[in-house]
Amino acid sequence: MARLNEANEQLARAIIARYPEPRSALIPLCHLAQEQDGWLDEDAMAHVAELIGCTPAQVLGTASFYEMFKLHPVGKYCINVCTNISCQLLGGEELLEHAESRLGVRSGGTTPDGMFTLEDVECVAACTEAPAVQVNYRYFHRVGIEDFDALIDALLAGELDDVVPPHGTLAKVRQDLAADRIANITAPEDQEMPVWIARAEASAGEGAAT
Amino acid sequence: MAEETPKPVELTDPVEITVDGETVVAQGGDLLIDACERAGTYIPRFCYHPRMRPVGMCRMCLVEVDTGRGPALQPSCMLPVTEGMTVDTRSDTVAKVQDGVLEFLLANHPLDCPVCDKGGECPLQDQTYAYGPGESRYVEEKRHYEKPIAISETVYLDRERCILCDRCTRFADEVAGDPLIHFIDRGSSTQVNTFPDEPFSSYFSGNTVQICPVGALTAKPYRFKARPWDLTEVESTCTRCSVGCRITIESSQDQILRFQGVDSDAVNWGWMCDKGRFGFEAMNSENRLLAPMMRGEDGELTEVRWSDALSGVTSELRRALDGRGPSSVALIGGSRSTNEGAEAWARLAKSVIGTDNCDAQLGDGLPAEAALGLPGLTIDEVCAPGSTVLWMGPDPLETLPVLQIRLRHAVLNDGVRIVEVGPARTGLRSLVAARVPAAPGRLADVVGGLLGGDVADEFAQASEILRSAGDDLRVVVGRANLAESPDTVLAAVGAVRSALPAARFLVALGRGNVRGALEAGLAPGLLPGGIPLSSGELPQGWESIPAEEGHDTTGILSAAAAGRIDVLVLLGADPLTDFPDRSLARRALAAARCVVAVTPLLDASAAGAHIVLPAAGFGEVDGTTTNLEGRVTPVSAKVTIPGTARADRSIAGALASRLGATDSWDSPEDLPGAAESATDGDGPASGPDGDLLVGIDRELPIPSVGDLEVPPTDAYSLRLVVARKLYDRGTMLVESPSSAALAPGSVALLNPADAAPLGVEEGSRIRLISASGSISIPTVPDESVPKGSVLVHHDLEGADPRELVDISDVVCDVRVEVA
Ligand code: SF4
Ligand code: SF4
Ligand code: FES
Ligand code: FES
């Protein structure tokens, strides 16, 4: 779809400034791009490469490793149905089958209205709550067939907007650090000891004084 | 681009290790795989390459190592040797591991050896036979990918065959600095690939094909052309530029099919650039000249017999000698010849004909006295750990590609600092420690200021770096700007030498064997071996020397244009394409009474010649060549010269005997100085590094330029910079199908500060107007071009900056109009 918009480009530069090496910002910037477009577009990857000074191939090499970066358009909601062993024993596969017929797409597909992308996934570490489903990585536990339908209805009705933001939204990217907490204040080669030790010692010193 | 600096391998004292029961002395810090190999024990490997950092990707090199805690399997490519290490490379465990690793590698390998270019020279095949399982237990469906995809104009990738050794990707990133291929989709479907629509367009892409341990990467010019067992090879030297990379020429059925890099420690470390690697295509071109041609009554070039062509040349020469005398004869070229060919032509011109009007450079070099007489440096000395380099030469990436690879390594690994001073940023880019722009004509002032510490604040750091090196400063000098008089460079050399009398220089002249040709005497005022003509010495075997000093190419062409040259011999030279002032070249060739072109291909100048003599090309003659350092290495004949074309050496001999020279010139042994350097074509006389020319430190009087009159700039003009690109429209490239398409179109690069007031933006057309001519050309704003300059590349499709240049000017000023 697009390169980073102006506001995001600015944010991107701020994120880059937090690292001693611009390239360290590769993943945060991919998140930022995914937040903007809902998925990680080629133009966005090329833009990220430009911003951090590497080649688009290097961005793709990293981004394509991570399942959670979507390199093709996905729906507003990514629905992951777990079919690994615990969930499978408690009906995960039947649930997936039902999800496919309810949404009218095969696993991996996106509904024509662009609302849902369905995926079957391996264990998402909610085995005690099997069968587990994630919507944009928000958990829904012990999901039966009716629960699933209700979940879809609620999502369509916008009832879950507070709980499940559109795909790509990642609050963490927006974290703002106070200037004195940014790791990049001293270049690593000028750093005498790691910041956190320096900081710990400084605060220990303060503690002793009071 | 952020560059990573790998840790240098610490070389410590020798250590004793035990390899398969035998005690061996190794260099501490050496990798075990190398130490074993040096001790005669070869450990199989796929990913390890001695010229790249080890990554331990393939696990084929696992051996049992005991450092006192019992034997354990370790990848020998990742393990530096330490005192007392005991290594077993052949234990049952090792054998089992090798078997297992190969079984894994083969699980997804398509085994399409019968249709694979690598079959027969494939490390995977060979090592499977030697160490692998006899049979596969794997019955499942293999991984499938689209069969070869083009990852660049020349390189194809078959991902099914790839064993993910990381050699190609490491090469691209670490050696070439073009990380355009990468591991994508890492996990169960890891593959090498490019970013969509961004091809692996590296000048060095062909190296990945050579180092790929399987047939995953193949090069278009060689695909399906031969099987390895049909090929025979001979060692030689690439002469496309003056780096002189060591190579093998490989042919089948009397046709050259590929070049491969040979690892020479002193020169190319096994690498080649693609222009050199695929350049053999031009020699196989169907446009090769097969018979001599003369311009007939109808004005057309028609094929004639050699005897007629030679008589034609002889009678023209006689007429000139009887008329205005030897100085009405001139010879341009020789940098494509072997040393022996150049010596023969120098002897013909200077001893037999008696003219000193000879020049192997085409107005794009430096006076021969400077090229041969400055205290020299080798590539190794420039790249030596810790050295400080003043770069005031052409773009190494575009003109001396493998030197760029060496410099890159030196900067990233050996702490070499480069200060680049020149009119335009070169391909060294982020490798330089500092860059100081020098507008055309200002090089000497800028360099003088830097060395004297008299600079603006922003260049203080550059000055500091240079001054900290003191007399040990290593200077690379050449022509960064073809639209600027070489005097500006000589003045800068003078500035360096007056500040640092002991400074040494690597003269970066680009043309293949230009140094050898100048050494052979194809330079005005010089006799073979760099002896000044004024010394009056008679070279061995010569009958006489010219009575008066001749002109360089600029002088020759000016004399020709003024009607004072009767016979102009172009020895593999194409002034119409290569001389920076096109109008002068055109007028000169039109006015010379008889132009004789000696060339393998009909280039632009030859097409207008009166007599064309077909010459043998690269890979068709034995001899030696001399690189920019003065290193003499063999070049070898591998295939038969096509048609009736002849080695230029033998053409010179035939003309000499027709002109009455008494000696026979036919065999190279008869040539002065050739006996000790000639080889029988079986390989190098003295190892892959060749011999450094004796007398490399000879001092010649470097022409001084006095006070250079650089005209003041005016507010309405920009100063023209003409630089070279690796791929242009030179005849050799046009005749190489896989390179022909790679030449970019020409654009004018302007600093945005100059572009803005003109109202031009990217892509809009401007007109550049000089006193000599004008061109219309699209523009691209570029921050790296200094304000007040405009950069246009030499000889690309579209507008031609040579129309603007008047070679007699110190600098070329152009007015800019929006077209
Ligand atoms: S293409 Fe060849 S060189 Fe590159 S990773 Fe695969 S096997 Fe190695
Ligand atoms: S760098 Fe020069 S000598 Fe080496 S391969 Fe390229 S053209 Fe040939
Ligand atoms: S198996 Fe489904 S969450 Fe673990
Ligand atoms: S050669 Fe050592 S792991 Fe590949």
Side-chain angles (χ1 to χ4, degrees):
Chain A
M1 247 195 307
R3 292 161 61 89
L4 293 177
N5 62 33
E6 219 168 284
N8 280 337
E9 185 174 330
Q10 236 170 32
L11 180 53
R13 290 189 198 279
I15 295 172
I16 292 168
R18 288 179 195 164
Y19 298 93
E21 285 288 337
R23 275 172 71 167
S24 308
L26 195 159
I27 287 176
L29 296 201
C30 286
H31 278 305
L32 187 61
Q34 176 152 285
E35 185 177 52
Q36 175 181 300
D37 297 335
W39 61 290
L40 191 51
D41 168 65
E42 277 170 28
D43 289 343
M45 281 190 274
H47 194 188
V48 169
E50 245 170 64
L51 288 167
I52 62 174
C54 71
T55 63
Q58 290 174 308
V59 176
L60 177 62
T62 301
S64 61
F65 173 72
Y66 295 99
E67 186 55 34
M68 286 166 80
F69 286 130
K70 302 295 180 193
L71 302 185
H72 47 83
V74 290
K76 182 176 178 191
Y77 299 113
C78 256
I79 301 190
N80 295 346
V81 178
C82 176
T83 52
N84 210 304
I85 186 76
S86 303
C87 296
Q88 184 197 40
L89 289 173
L90 289 167
E93 286 194 338
E94 291 77 7
L95 181 62
L96 179 67
E97 232 170 81
H98 173 75
E100 288 184 336
S101 66
R102 164 73 209 256
L103 297 175
V105 293
R106 286 238 164 252
S107 172
T110 299
T111 56
D113 61 1
M115 285 301 281
F116 300 104
T117 296
L118 180 65
E119 285 173 353
D120 60 307
V121 293
E122 300 306 326
C123 180
V124 291
C127 317
T128 52
E129 313 296 333
V133 166
Q134 289 177 318
V135 181
N136 293 348
Y137 311 108
R138 273 72 179 172
Y139 283 93
F140 293 87
H141 295 151
R142 302 184 191 223
V143 182
I145 305 275
E146 296 81 35
D147 302 330
F148 185 84
D149 287 341
L151 174 61
I152 296 297
D153 292 338
L155 286 168
L156 283 172
E159 288 161 18
L160 292 177
D161 283 1
D162 289 347
V163 202
V164 187
H167 182 257
T169 311
L170 278 161
K172 284 271 157 51
V173 174
R174 299 249 179 247
Q175 99 184 346
D176 250 327
L177 284 180
D180 67 336
R181 298 206 37 175
I182 292 177
N184 191 28
I185 294 171
T186 318
E189 55 274 21
D190 303 333
Q191 193 82 58
E192 275 160 21
M193 66 178 86
V195 235
W196 55 90
I197 296 182
R199 223 182 272 133
E201 283 182 355
S203 62
E206 276 162 29
T210 48
Chain B
M1 194 150 302
E3 306 283 2
E4 286 164 34
T5 317
K7 285 203 206 85
V9 177
E10 288 281 334
L11 284 185
T12 53
D13 296 324
V15 293
E16 264 189 16
I17 61 173
T18 312
V19 180
D20 297 336
E22 274 179 47
T23 309
V24 171
V25 179
Q27 177 69 53
D30 256 11
L31 293 171
L32 182 56
I33 197 169
D34 285 335
C36 288
E37 191 171 356
R38 272 193 269 279
T41 303
Y42 184 85
I43 299 172
R45 82 268 323 245
F46 293 110
C47 68
Y48 178 65
H49 187 285
R51 293 292 184 187
M52 298 194 288
R53 260 178 292 165
V55 282
M57 287 290 276
C58 72
R59 318 314 275 182
M60 191 61 205
C61 68
L62 286 169
V63 291
E64 279 196 284
V65 181
D66 189 345
T67 48
R69 286 180 291 178
L73 284 168
Q74 302 244 42
S76 55
C77 72
M78 297 293 285
L79 194 66
V81 289
T82 51
E83 183 65 40
M85 201 177 239
T86 305
V87 185
D88 195 338
T89 71
R90 296 185 204 137
S91 69
D92 289 347
T93 317
V94 170
K96 188 164 179 222
V97 161
Q98 290 167 336
D99 189 283
V101 166
L102 281 162
E103 188 173 19
F104 272 125
L105 287 179
L106 293 174
N108 266 314
H109 195 78
L111 293 175
D112 49 1
C113 311
V115 292
C116 176
D117 272 343
K118 201 79 173 188
E121 57 175 9
C122 175
L124 182 59
Q125 241 181 8
D126 297 347
Q127 295 186 29
T128 301
Y129 280 120
Y131 309 96
E135 237 170 85
S136 174
R137 291 177 292 169
Y138 190 81
V139 292
E140 291 77 7
E141 185 67 20
K142 298 196 176 200
R143 201 179 45 177
H144 287 296
Y145 286 114
E146 185 187 335
K147 273 299 192 181
I149 52 171
I151 54 170
S152 76
E153 285 281 334
T154 25
V155 179
Y156 284 80
L157 167 65
D158 181 330
R159 290 164 292 176
E160 293 184 344
R161 292 180 188 156
C162 169
I163 58 166
L164 304 175
C165 72
D166 199 19
R167 276 188 173 192
C168 57
T169 39
R170 248 182 308 156
F171 172 84
D173 188 10
E174 192 180 309
V175 181
D178 297 320
L180 297 165
I181 44 174
H182 213 274
F183 284 137
I184 307 286
D185 291 341
R186 280 178 269 182
S188 58
S189 46
T190 310
Q191 51 174 293
V192 173
N193 214 329
T194 63
F195 193 70
D197 301 324
E198 187 161 303
F200 180 40
S201 45
S202 166
Y203 287 170
F204 305 104
S205 67
N207 293 298
T208 61
V209 176
Q210 184 174 341
I211 61 177
C212 178
V214 295
L217 291 166
T218 45
K220 194 151 83 177
Y222 177 73
R223 281 171 64 77
F224 306 126
K225 288 277 165 58
R227 309 310 323 241
W229 52 87
D230 293 331
L231 293 172
T232 52
E233 63 178 51
V234 66
E235 214 168 300
S236 187
T237 306
C238 175
T239 56
R240 281 306 283 279
C241 81
S242 62
V243 173
C245 296
R246 303 290 296 140
I247 62 168
T248 55
I249 305 177
E250 306 188 4
S251 73
S252 164
Q253 300 184 344
D254 210 24
Q255 201 190 13
I256 297 178
L257 293 177
R258 72 176 177 189
F259 294 158
Q260 300 273 63
V262 168
D263 196 322
S264 153
D265 242 333
V267 185
N268 61 319
W269 291 10
W271 312 126
M272 296 182 75
C273 73
D274 287 359
K275 180 173 169 180
R277 184 180 295 270
F278 302 121
F280 67 86
E281 287 182 320
M283 293 298 109
N284 297 338
S285 158
E286 53 187 29
N287 296 328
R288 277 293 297 272
L289 296 173
L290 305 177
M293 294 189 286
M294 285 174 81
R295 208 163 284 283
E297 296 292 310
D298 56 357
E300 296 294 316
L301 280 175
T302 34
E303 288 194 2
V304 295
R305 292 183 314 174
W306 267 100
S307 54
D308 295 338
L310 291 174
S311 305
V313 178
T314 319
S315 65
E316 287 290 350
L317 285 170
R318 282 240 167 77
R319 217 175 116 199
L321 291 175
D322 294 344
R324 289 192 276 191
S327 61
S328 66
V329 178
L331 182 150
I332 297 175
S335 63
R336 286 206 186 131
S337 302
T338 57
N339 289 336
E340 295 70 21
E343 276 164 19
W345 279 92
R347 184 178 173 195
L348 170 66
K350 296 200 171 178
S351 167
V352 179
I353 298 171
T355 177
D356 190 44
N357 289 328
C358 296
D359 195 356
Q361 306 190 72
L362 281 108
D364 54 357
L366 293 171
E369 288 80 3
L372 305 181
L374 283 169
L377 283 170
T378 60
I379 295 174
D380 274 350
E381 286 167 332
V382 170
C383 297
S387 75
T388 303
V389 179
L390 167 60
W391 187 274
M392 40 185 219
D395 188 335
L397 180 62
E398 304 289 350
T399 60
L400 302 162
V402 169
L403 180 57
Q404 160 100 9
I405 284 191
R406 291 288 312 270
L407 290 165
R408 184 179 154 80
H409 185 273
V411 170
L412 295 182
N413 301 274
D414 294 330
V416 168
R417 294 177 304 168
I418 304 177
V419 175
E420 176 186 277
V421 184
R425 188 170 67 186
T426 69
L428 290 169
R429 289 174 180 261
S430 63
L431 296 176
V432 299
R435 159 160 175 78
V436 184
R442 300 249 308 113
L443 189 60
D445 300 347
V446 174
V447 167
L450 287 168
L451 294 177
D454 168 23
V455 284
D457 281 353
E458 57 178 316
F459 304 125
Q461 184 218 359
S463 171
E464 193 41 51
I465 295 173
L466 292 175
R467 283 153 62 88
S468 69
D471 262 353
D472 195 28
L473 185 65
R474 299 165 193 205
V475 187
V476 182
V477 60
R479 290 286 298 281
N481 179 9
L482 300 177
E484 183 179 349
S485 153
D487 286 351
T488 62
V489 180
L490 281 185
V493 168
V496 172
R497 284 167 52 98
S498 69
L500 302 169
R504 293 191 298 146
F505 297 81
L506 178 66
V507 181
L509 298 177
R511 300 184 170 277
N513 190 26
V514 63
R515 169 121 197 195
L518 297 175
E519 290 279 354
L522 289 178
L526 290 183
L527 297 172
I531 299 163
L533 179 62
S534 54
S535 71
E537 255 175 67
L538 194 63
Q540 189 203 337
W542 284 33
E543 281 149 32
S544 62
I545 56 172
E548 55 182 295
E549 276 220 11
H551 298 293
D552 64 3
T553 291
T554 303
I556 292 169
L557 293 177
S558 308
R564 284 186 274 117
I565 298 292
D566 292 325
V567 181
L568 175 60
V569 179
L570 302 176
L571 179 57
D574 179 7
L576 276 186
T577 307
D578 285 327
F579 190 70
D581 175 345
R582 186 164 215 181
S583 142
L584 178 57
R586 232 187 253 130
R587 282 180 284 126
L589 294 191
R593 193 182 71 212
C594 175
V595 176
V596 181
V598 183
T599 175
L601 286 158
L602 201 67
D603 54 46
S605 305
H610 302 90
I611 304 178
V612 179
L613 304 178
F618 186 80
E620 295 161 5
V621 279
D622 279 327
T624 60
T625 187
T626 306
N627 82 346
L628 78 172
E629 309 163 278
R631 186 180 301 280
V632 180
T633 50
V635 289
S636 310
K638 185 69 187 74
V639 293
T640 318
I641 306 173
T644 67
R646 297 170 68 170
D648 50 12
R649 186 175 65 213
S650 96
I651 300 175
L655 287 171
S657 71
R658 276 166 193 261
L659 286 169
T662 43
D663 299 349
S664 149
W665 284 24
D666 276 351
S667 69
E669 288 72 30
D670 298 338
L671 293 165
E676 61 272 27
S677 50
T679 64
D680 53 8
D682 289 345
S686 48
D689 294 349
D691 283 328
L692 269 186
L693 208 65
V694 277
I696 188 161
D697 275 335
R698 99 171 64 79
E699 290 265 346
L700 286 173
I702 312 300
S704 74
V705 286
D707 270 339
L708 206 59
E709 286 281 334
V710 184
T713 36
D714 65 61
Y716 308 101
S717 304
L718 296 178
R719 240 160 222 178
L720 181 65
V721 179
V722 177
R724 279 184 174 272
K725 279 276 181 202
L726 185 66
Y727 295 113
D728 57 21
R729 290 182 307 171
T731 313
M732 295 275 279
L733 280 166
V734 171
E735 295 291 345
S736 303
S738 56
S739 313
L742 298 175
S746 75
V747 291
L749 300 162
L750 302 179
N751 190 291
D754 292 324
L758 292 163
V760 297
E761 27 186 88
E762 175 122 19
S764 60
R765 258 183 189 277
I766 53 173
R767 182 162 283 286
L768 299 177
I769 305 156
S770 78
S772 304
S774 79
I775 58 174
S776 153
I777 187 169
T779 51
V780 175
D782 185 331
E783 298 272 357
S784 76
V785 177
K787 260 187 277 179
S789 302
V790 52
L791 170 64
V792 184
H793 288 102
H794 173 86
D795 196 27
L796 300 180
E797 191 67 43
D800 186 346
R802 284 168 300 169
E803 301 288 358
L804 302 171
V805 175
D806 180 342
I807 196 96
S808 58
D809 290 340
V810 177
V811 291
C812 175
D813 284 335
V814 292
R815 264 189 307 118
V816 183
E817 278 174 13
V818 178

